[in-house]
């Protein structure tokens, strides 16, 4: 097997057993990028020093026990990296070289990881297609006629196409789980506050959650362990300690009670519903109990999310006033301008109470709804998307495209919950994502059941024909 | 037609915390090389997040409690949006509808007020007491500073971000002030109070205390339909002059049947008058539009919750404040109001006095003697012990040495017969001469009053 196809866990084992060197591993990923990225366009920027850093890692191996030493990881372009330009895929920040390092990439580097490059995304993370990148779209490795999903589409495509061992994305509402589903990889959204936002170009501050994208649940758990935890530079990061996310059957209750919300199932079509029921059988065979339940319809979360997110976006983007970052405000793309306009309107005096304030009240109701559900259930089944990837161009002329596609993950994002998306079948040759959400800070539970499911299935082992 | 001035004040005070409001940069920015005290947070770089300074919050609560405010158990920060080059994020982190402290007051001395504005009805004070109500005390971040300069022959505007993010407390009064004298007294009291709390230097020249006044004139005590805001007043004197100028200017307009326009004005020291100004917040905005800062809760900072215990713990840190101290001095030491005012003018002089009183008790030196000595003091004493020792020697000689004094008197009278004759011939300067001679003999230690009395007795008896 080519080295670039290794999972994170496998790569670490191979490196430690000296079955391969970091140099060979990084080289294999770079070769894959050179071969296929002209077609996929997952990367905006490559780290020119990656091979040099790999050599250094190999030299250090003897007396260095850093867990990720020499592992090539791709980073979504909204994480500030000191040696690599960071643009959030917007021309407003074209050529911007950050003066400081985001907490997530700092922790990865301290753990020995090599940042192989920065991945494409919807500009400012505004979207669910990666089609709205100011530097051109990313295409789905399973079929380049289709969208990879977004906004972390570059990261999920890079993992799906084995251009890296693992990647980092960020989710505001669905931006990890949806593209992970559409690209057939595993994406994990930690609880809001579990992973620091410091140095992540803000989209919607009250829901932004950085998280891992990898080839297995096990790899996601491993990365969450490294990037998670309290950060004195982020006042909203939780001091709640990160539990040991080691995945073993012994650590979890053997029988979990899992809710299946009928409102979520209703949004799905015949084929994807069938895949959900297939996944449920797998879980039942493992002894878990799945029961139908009812939640507030996800359509209400769309309204809440749209108002809160647009408001925060209009505020967060006001620092790009044309004075400091070299480009003026005409560089803002259409989608960003639309969001700035809507958010500015929603926050205007006289409208604040009608929109922002009301949205926050509904948000509280959604949180309360989940709280009630989690009194009855350990977890809730939540496939991130009603169907597989949509065709290129689907997001055009569809101002609420993202919101509609992300409908099934918005309630959990608005409530700050943790959730996972993992391969759960195929529809017409395109991956379908299955998933769960759990209460805040229940990462161990969500990851453990997802791992059990993955042990019993082989969807995650299938690779796209590039 | 008589008009009564209706004045509200806004006082901004920079706290002297070690670090800035939301980052670890030093807060002391005055005179520092531009842009040497900055970081991603106070430069508003992409991805940077504010982490509130706990000490700044505690100190703001302390100011609020000193002004008899209620502390809001639930408070939060909000974003206030406007574009200006010295505001790197495009918004200022401030507080909108849940400030840290609300509903306080500060009492002014009534006499000064009524003297200054005798024609005015006191709508703000309910019970004849001259109370200025405090609407709110909130915490925000300071902005950067624009410097307009010429570089290589080109006129440029430079931005210094050293001040960006320095904790700034805003104290807002109700429109309970009715004249320049009261306004000046109010800000002087606030100045003293905050310095006593030790949380700011309140140095107006360095900009660590800034004043704004909202001034309008009321007919028949009703609320005027306009408000003129005078900004950037950097001394008590200018505040007073600006208010007097505005009262005269607005009165003239009103007398002519015009309503003064609602506007922001600056103060020109050179011209000694206010002038219409386009403040930075209203630049680019036409008059008809209301100010819209699009406030919303700062999502990067969790809401603040204060328990009763936390508030009490801060209240316990309050030093004795000037008003309380003055009352206690008058009562406990039997001092006259004028003396109390001088002694309690600064925390230091009050502390000096109390230490001296304590020291004086050991030698039965009454507090009034110490107070009088301090008020009439020509000589500075390094510490209260020195003062007490000095007073003790003085009083001991005065009281116990009448015999010695009489001996000096006898010597002097014998030696200066001419002066004694002059005294008998009603020449008044003779007595001064004789006293001077006695002082010489006593090496200046004789109690002048007592010598005078004893000398007169002696001269009268020998007449
Ligand atoms: Zn700073």
């Amino acid at each position: 097997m080519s080295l670039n196809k290794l999972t994170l866990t496998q790569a670490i084992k191979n490196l430690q057993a000296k079955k391969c060197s970091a140099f060979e591993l990084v080289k294999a990923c770079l070769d894959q990028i050179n071969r296929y990225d002209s077609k996929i366009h997952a990367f905006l920027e490559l780290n020119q020093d990656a091979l040099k850093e790999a050599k250094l890692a190999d030299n250090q191996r003897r007396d260095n026990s850093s867990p990720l030493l020499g592992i090539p990881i791709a980073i979504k372009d909204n994480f500030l990296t000191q040696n690599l330009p960071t643009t959030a895929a917007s021309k407003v920040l074209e050529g911007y070289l950050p003066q400081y390092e985001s907490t997530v990439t700092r922790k990865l580097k301290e753990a020995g990881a090599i940042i192989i490059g920065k991945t494409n995304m919807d500009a400012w993370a505004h979207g669910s297609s990666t089609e709205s990148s100011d530097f051109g779209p990313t295409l789905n490795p399973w079929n380049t006629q289709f969208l990879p999903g977004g906004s972390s589409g570059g990261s999920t495509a890079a993992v799906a196409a084995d251009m890296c061992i693992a990647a980092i994305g960020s989710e505001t509402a669905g931006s990890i789980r949806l593209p992970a589903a559409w690209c057939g990889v595993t994406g994990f959204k930690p609880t809001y506050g579990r992973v620091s936002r410091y140095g992540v170009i803000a989209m919607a501050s009250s829901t932004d959650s950085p998280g891992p994208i990898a080839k297995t649940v096990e790899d996601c758990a491993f990365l969450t362990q490294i990037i998670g935890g309290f950060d004195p530079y982020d006042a909203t990061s939780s001091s709640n300690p990160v539990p040991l996310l080691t995945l073993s059957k012994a650590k979890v209750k053997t029988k979990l009670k899992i809710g299946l919300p009928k409102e979520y199932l209703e949004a799905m079509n015949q084929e994807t519903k069938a895949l959900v029921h297939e996944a449920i059988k797998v879980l039942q065979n493992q002894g878990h109990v799945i029961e139908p339940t009812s939640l507030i319809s996800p359509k209400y979360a769309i309204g809440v999310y749209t108002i809160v997110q647009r408001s925060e976006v209009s505020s967060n983007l006001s620092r790009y006033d044309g004075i400091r970052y070299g480009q003026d405000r005409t560089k803002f793309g259409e989608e960003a301008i639309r969001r700035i306009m809507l958010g500015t309107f929603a926050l205007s005096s006289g409208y604040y109470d009608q929109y922002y304030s009301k949205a926050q009240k509904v948000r509280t109701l959604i949180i309360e709804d989940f709280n009630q559900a989690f009194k009855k259930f350990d977890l809730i089944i939540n496939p991130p998307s009603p169907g597989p990837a949509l065709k290129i161009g689907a997001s055009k002329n569809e101002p609420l495209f993202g919101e509609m596609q992300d409908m099934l993950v918005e309630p959990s994002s608005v409530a700050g919950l943790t959730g996972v998306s993992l391969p759960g079948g195929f529809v017409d040759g395109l991956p379908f994502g299955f998933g769960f959400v759990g209460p805040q800070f229940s990462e161990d539970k969500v990851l453990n059941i997802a791992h059990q499911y993955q042990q019993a299935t082989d969807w995650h082992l299938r690779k796209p024909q590039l | 037609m008589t008009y009564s001035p209706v004045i509200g004040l806004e006082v901004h005070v920079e706290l002297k915390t070690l670090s800035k409001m939301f980052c670890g940069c030093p807060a002391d920015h005055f005179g520092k090389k531009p842009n040497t005290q900055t970081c991603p947070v106070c430069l508003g770089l992409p991805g940077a997040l504010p982490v509130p300074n706990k000490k700044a919050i505690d100190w703001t609560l302390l100011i609020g409690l000193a002004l008899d405010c209620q502390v809001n158990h639930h408070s939060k920060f909000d974003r206030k949006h406007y574009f200006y080059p010295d505001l790197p994020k495009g918004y200022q982190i401030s507080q909108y509808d849940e400030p840290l402290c609300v509903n306080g007051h500060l009492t002014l001395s009534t006499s000064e007020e009524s003297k200054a504005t005798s024609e005015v009805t006191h709508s703000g004070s309910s019970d004849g007491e001259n109370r200025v109500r405090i609407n709110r005390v909130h915490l925000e971040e300071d902005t950067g500073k624009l410097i307009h300069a010429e570089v290589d022959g080109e006129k440029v505007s430079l931005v210094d971000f050293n001040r960006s993010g320095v904790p700034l407390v805003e104290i807002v009064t109700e429109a309970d002030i009715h004249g320049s004298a009261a306004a000046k007294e109010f800000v002087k009291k606030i100045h003293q109070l905050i310095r006593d709390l030790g949380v700011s230097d309140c140095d107006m020249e360095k900009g660590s205390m800034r004043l704004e006044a909202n001034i309008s004139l009321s007919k028949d005590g009703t609320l005027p339909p306009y408000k003129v805001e005078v900004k950037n007043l950097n001394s008590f004197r200018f505040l007073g002059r600006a208010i007097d100028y505005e009262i005269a200017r607005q009165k003239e307009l009103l007398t002519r049947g015009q309503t003064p326009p609602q506007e922001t004005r600056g103060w020109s020291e050179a011209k000694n008058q206010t002038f219409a100004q386009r403040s930075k917040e209203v630049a680019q905005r036409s008059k008809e539009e209301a100010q819209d800062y699009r406030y919303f809760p700062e999502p990067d900072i969790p809401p603040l919750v204060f328990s009763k215990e936390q508030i009490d713990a801060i209240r316990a840190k309050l030093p004795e404040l000037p008003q309380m101290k003055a009352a206690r001095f008058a009562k406990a030491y039997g001092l006259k109001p004028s003396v109390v005012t001088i002694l309690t003018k600064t925390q230091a002089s009050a502390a000096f006095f109390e230490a001296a009183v304590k020291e004086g008790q050991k030698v039965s030196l009454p507090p009034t003697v110490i107070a009088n000595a301090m008020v009439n003091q020509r000589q500075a004493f390094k510490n209260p012990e020195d003062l007490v020792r000095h007073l003790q020697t003085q009083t001991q000689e005065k009281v116990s040495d009448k015999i010695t004094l009489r001996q000096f008197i006898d010597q002097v009278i014998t030696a200066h017969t001419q002066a004694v004759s002059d005294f008998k011939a009603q020449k008044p300067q003779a007595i001064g001469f004789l006293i001077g001679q006695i002082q010489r003999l006593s090496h200046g230690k004789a109690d002048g009053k007592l010598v005078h009395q004893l000398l007169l007795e002696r001269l009268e008896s020998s007449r």
Side-chain angles (χ1 to χ4, degrees):
Chain A
M1 184 160 77
S2 327
L3 291 173
N4 55 304
K5 295 202 163 136
L6 296 176
T7 66
L8 176 66
T9 316
Q10 289 166 344
I12 292 171
K13 275 189 190 138
N14 277 11
L15 285 171
Q16 280 170 351
K18 299 215 167 71
K19 284 192 186 153
C20 72
S21 67
F23 185 86
E24 290 163 337
L25 188 64
V26 171
K27 178 93 178 21
C29 290
L30 287 174
D31 287 348
Q32 184 80 348
I33 293 169
N34 289 333
R35 212 169 304 143
Y36 296 111
D37 204 38
S38 53
K39 195 169 146 192
I40 304 295
H41 193 223
F43 285 88
L44 291 177
E45 191 78 38
L46 290 178
N47 176 8
Q48 302 302 329
D49 293 329
L51 283 173
K52 224 186 333 181
E53 289 170 23
K55 251 186 198 161
L56 204 70
D58 285 329
N59 291 338
Q60 288 175 340
R61 184 158 307 276
R62 208 180 317 148
D63 39 35
N64 193 326
S65 58
S66 301
L68 293 176
L69 188 66
I71 301 288
I73 290 182
I75 307 288
K76 189 179 182 181
D77 201 35
N78 57 346
F79 287 80
L80 267 61
T81 42
Q82 240 173 337
N83 59 337
L84 282 170
T86 301
T87 64
S90 167
K91 289 204 167 161
V92 173
L93 283 178
E94 191 165 10
Y96 173 63
L97 198 61
Q99 293 88 336
Y100 74 104
E101 190 79 32
S102 77
T103 297
V104 165
T105 51
R106 179 180 56 75
K107 284 185 168 180
L108 289 171
K109 284 178 175 178
E110 283 169 2
I114 294 168
I115 292 176
I116 194 161
K118 303 296 287 291
T119 59
N120 201 8
M121 55 190 282
D122 288 291
W124 304 109
H126 296 168
S128 302
S129 63
T130 315
E131 205 169 19
S132 74
S133 164
D134 285 354
F135 303 107
T138 296
L139 307 181
N140 194 317
W142 290 89
N143 183 338
T144 53
Q145 301 290 304
F146 286 81
L147 295 168
S151 62
S152 308
S155 284
T156 53
V159 172
D162 288 315
M163 293 171 175
C164 56
I165 298 303
I168 296 293
S170 67
E171 167 155 339
T172 302
S175 276
I176 288 175
R177 288 176 284 167
L178 179 103
W182 287 10
C183 287
V185 297
T186 305
F188 180 56
K189 177 209 178 291
T191 307
Y192 176 76
R194 168 60 84 209
V195 181
S196 168
R197 295 183 292 119
Y198 187 68
V200 185
I201 295 175
M203 205 261 261
S205 316
S206 66
T207 49
D208 285 347
S209 311
I213 292 156
K215 297 169 191 178
T216 66
V217 172
E218 198 179 7
D219 291 358
C220 283
F222 195 85
L223 286 171
T224 305
Q225 194 85 63
I226 289 168
I227 62 175
F230 173 72
D231 181 6
Y233 290 99
D234 178 357
T236 59
S237 75
S238 171
S239 50
N240 202 323
V242 187
L244 206 57
L245 298 173
T246 333
L247 305 175
S248 73
K249 282 185 183 168
K251 295 215 84 175
V252 198
K253 263 176 32 181
T254 39
K255 263 189 178 181
L256 289 189
K257 214 170 153 195
I258 305 170
L260 176 66
K262 67 173 195 309
E263 293 79 2
Y264 289 39
L265 214 55
E266 277 163 13
M268 319 202 72
N269 63 34
Q270 211 73 46
E271 283 165 308
T272 51
K273 250 184 223 172
L275 287 172
V276 170
H277 285 298
E278 229 177 278
I280 288 171
K281 270 188 209 130
V282 173
L283 296 169
Q284 283 168 334
N285 286 341
Q286 290 173 332
H288 302 299
V289 178
I290 287 85
E291 275 178 20
T293 184
S294 175
L295 286 172
I296 292 180
S297 168
K299 69 181 181 198
Y300 295 110
I302 298 179
V304 172
Y305 174 69
T306 305
I307 295 298
V308 171
Q309 188 250 50
R310 300 301 194 271
S311 300
E312 293 181 5
V313 161
S314 74
S315 174
N316 285 333
L317 290 182
S318 48
R319 72 187 60 195
Y320 308 105
D321 54 8
I323 296 174
R324 271 165 286 265
Y325 302 98
Q327 321 286 346
D328 67 43
R329 288 195 273 182
T330 61
K331 301 282 181 182
F332 273 115
E334 238 176 76
E335 183 58 25
I337 291 172
R338 251 199 305 261
R339 293 190 183 206
I340 292 169
M341 293 294 289
L342 186 60
T344 303
F345 177 80
L347 291 178
S348 297
S349 86
Y351 295 104
Y352 178 87
D353 286 341
Q354 274 179 55
Y355 296 109
Y356 191 85
S357 173
K358 195 173 276 178
Q360 291 295 10
K361 280 175 196 151
V362 179
R363 187 180 194 168
T364 311
L365 292 178
I366 292 171
I367 292 171
E368 196 38 47
D369 190 37
F370 275 116
N371 286 345
Q372 291 304 323
F374 288 128
K375 279 182 187 160
K376 282 187 281 177
F377 300 104
D378 293 298
L379 298 171
I380 303 271
I381 287 176
N382 186 180
S385 174
L390 295 179
K391 277 218 156 159
I392 299 289
S395 76
K396 297 275 152 81
N397 307 316
E398 189 62 71
L400 284 178
F401 173 82
E403 281 65 29
M404 298 313 290
Q405 290 313 312
D406 287 336
M407 181 168 88
L408 294 182
V409 276
E410 270 156 15
S412 56
S413 292
V414 161
L417 308 180
T418 175
V420 68
S421 167
L422 69 172
F426 284 83
V427 179
D428 300 332
L430 290 169
F432 167 73
F434 184 58
F436 307 92
V437 290
Q440 289 204 326
F441 303 108
S442 67
E443 278 86 1
D444 48 351
K445 221 189 271 178
V446 170
L447 287 167
N448 266 292
I449 188 137
H451 179 61
Q452 281 180 40
Y453 171 82
Q454 211 156 60
Q455 299 290 91
T457 55
D458 65 353
W459 306 117
H460 63 292
L461 300 177
R462 304 202 184 177
K463 297 282 182 185
Q465 203 70 46
L466 293 172
Chain B
M1 173 62 70
T2 57
Y3 294 100
S4 47
V6 178
I7 301 163
L9 295 175
E10 284 173 29
V11 181
H12 281 97
V13 172
E14 274 181 358
L15 296 180
K16 57 174 184 185
T17 46
L18 281 179
S19 55
K20 291 186 181 179
M21 188 56 227
F22 299 114
C23 62
C25 295
D28 177 18
H29 59 88
F30 189 78
K32 299 291 188 304
K33 191 166 178 269
N35 296 313
T36 53
Q37 300 188 159
T38 60
C39 73
V41 177
C42 54
L43 288 173
L45 294 185
L49 300 170
V51 177
N53 180 333
K54 190 178 175 297
K55 178 144 257 180
I57 293 172
D58 286 353
W59 282 4
T60 307
L61 297 181
L62 199 65
I63 292 174
L65 290 171
L67 291 168
D68 271 325
C69 288
Q70 297 158 11
V71 170
N72 273 327
H73 286 273
H74 289 264
S75 184
K76 64 179 166 69
F77 287 100
D78 298 278
R79 291 185 181 179
K80 176 183 180 180
H81 299 84
Y82 64 90
F83 284 107
Y84 206 69
D86 66 10
L87 191 68
K89 299 188 293 298
Y91 57 83
Q92 178 188 31
I93 304 178
S94 180
Q95 297 197 280
Y96 182 51
D97 53 351
E98 290 177 9
L100 286 169
C101 311
V102 292
N103 297 337
H105 67 266
L106 187 71
T107 306
L108 303 182
S109 60
T110 344
S111 54
E112 204 177 338
E113 164 83 353
S114 48
K115 213 189 320 169
T117 54
S118 46
E119 62 191 291
V120 157
T121 50
H122 295 247
S123 57
S125 36
S126 48
D127 47 3
E129 198 189 15
N130 196 8
R131 249 181 192 206
V132 176
R133 289 169 299 161
I134 308 289
N135 174 289
R136 62 194 279 148
V137 177
H138 80 234
L139 183 54
E140 60 189 26
E141 56 175 342
D142 211 342
T143 63
K145 218 182 214 170
L146 281 188
I147 299 158
H148 304 286
E150 209 172 52
V151 174
D152 300 330
E154 206 185 335
K155 279 192 174 167
V156 293
S157 293
L158 306 168
V159 198
D160 175 8
F161 288 107
N162 282 350
R163 196 180 71 178
S164 170
V166 169
L168 194 63
V169 170
E170 183 173 324
I171 301 164
V172 182
T173 75
E174 298 291 354
D176 287 350
I177 297 167
H178 306 284
S180 58
K184 272 158 64 179
E185 190 193 343
F186 177 85
V187 291
K188 280 179 184 169
K189 281 203 158 148
I190 289 277
H191 180 262
Q192 189 56 52
L193 179 91
I194 291 174
R195 285 175 57 93
D196 285 347
L197 294 176
V199 299
S200 171
D201 292 331
C202 293
D203 187 330
M204 289 206 267
E205 277 179 26
K206 291 181 181 173
S208 61
M209 183 175 188
R210 292 166 232 158
L211 311 172
E212 282 169 38
N214 291 307
I215 307 158
S216 49
L217 295 186
S218 160
K219 234 176 349 191
D220 3 296
T222 53
L223 211 63
Y226 71 95
K227 194 165 77 176
V228 174
E229 192 180 3
V230 185
K231 287 198 158 189
N232 303 322
L233 297 162
N234 59 1
S235 82
F236 300 138
R237 204 153 43 98
F238 296 157
L239 171 74
R241 286 197 198 158
I243 289 173
D244 288 339
Y245 179 87
E246 271 305 307
I247 291 172
R249 186 184 72 87
Q250 293 176 23
K251 195 179 269 178
E252 197 187 307
L253 287 172
L254 287 164
T255 314
R256 275 193 267 135
Q258 297 168 8
T259 304
Q262 173 120 357
E263 62 183 348
T264 301
R265 296 175 74 85
W267 170 253
S268 163
E269 192 183 340
K271 293 183 185 159
N272 208 19
Q273 64 186 43
T274 66
F275 62 90
Q277 188 192 41
R278 288 165 69 87
S279 80
K280 62 184 177 185
E281 288 90 348
V282 295
Q284 315 290 328
R285 203 187 306 124
S286 70
K287 239 192 310 190
E288 301 83 54
E289 284 178 75
Q291 290 192 339
D292 192 349
Y293 295 122
R294 305 191 314 281
Y295 282 102
F296 84 107
E298 168 57 277
D300 289 332
I301 303 174
L304 307 167
V305 180
F306 302 103
S307 66
K308 194 183 167 296
E309 289 71 34
Q310 279 171 300
I311 297 167
D312 287 344
I314 290 168
R315 199 190 303 274
K317 287 183 197 156
L318 272 183
E320 193 180 24
L321 297 164
Q323 288 185 42
M324 293 150 67
K325 186 167 285 178
R328 183 169 62 83
F329 274 22
K331 205 176 163 204
Y333 305 122
L335 303 177
K336 284 188 289 186
S338 61
V339 173
V340 169
T341 306
I342 294 169
L343 291 179
T344 56
K345 195 157 192 171
T346 67
Q347 194 90 293
S349 73
F352 190 100
F353 170 70
E354 294 214 275
V357 168
K358 213 172 162 193
E359 191 68 24
Q361 274 175 352
K362 298 179 196 162
V363 294
S364 314
L365 197 63
T368 41
V369 173
I370 295 168
N372 287 334
M374 281 181 67
V375 169
N376 304 319
Q377 190 178 106
R378 297 219 176 95
Q379 197 182 345
F381 290 94
K382 248 190 260 151
N383 52 52
E385 291 77 22
D386 283 358
L387 171 68
V388 169
R389 209 170 301 129
H390 171 79
L391 291 175
Q392 198 188 356
T393 23
Q394 267 194 354
T395 43
Q396 269 174 356
E397 280 171 7
K398 280 174 208 167
V399 182
S400 64
D401 274 12
K402 277 190 180 173
I403 296 158
T404 319
L405 288 180
R406 289 208 173 94
Q407 285 172 359
F408 290 149
I409 289 168
D410 284 341
Q411 276 183 50
V412 168
I413 285 175
T414 321
H416 301 281
T417 45
Q418 182 57 45
V420 174
S421 318
D422 287 349
F423 172 80
K424 287 178 175 164
Q426 309 286 323
K427 287 188 182 167
Q429 64 272 32
I431 189 111
F433 171 80
L434 290 170
I435 289 173
Q437 295 306 310
I438 296 160
Q439 287 291 12
R440 266 183 65 187
L441 287 175
S442 73
H443 303 285
K445 281 181 180 172
D447 179 348
K449 229 172 170 178
L450 196 58
V451 168
H452 189 253
Q453 182 201 332
L454 295 175
L455 180 64
L456 280 183
E457 276 171 21
R458 179 76 175 75
L459 291 173
E460 297 294 341
S461 65
S462 68
R463 194 185 289 233

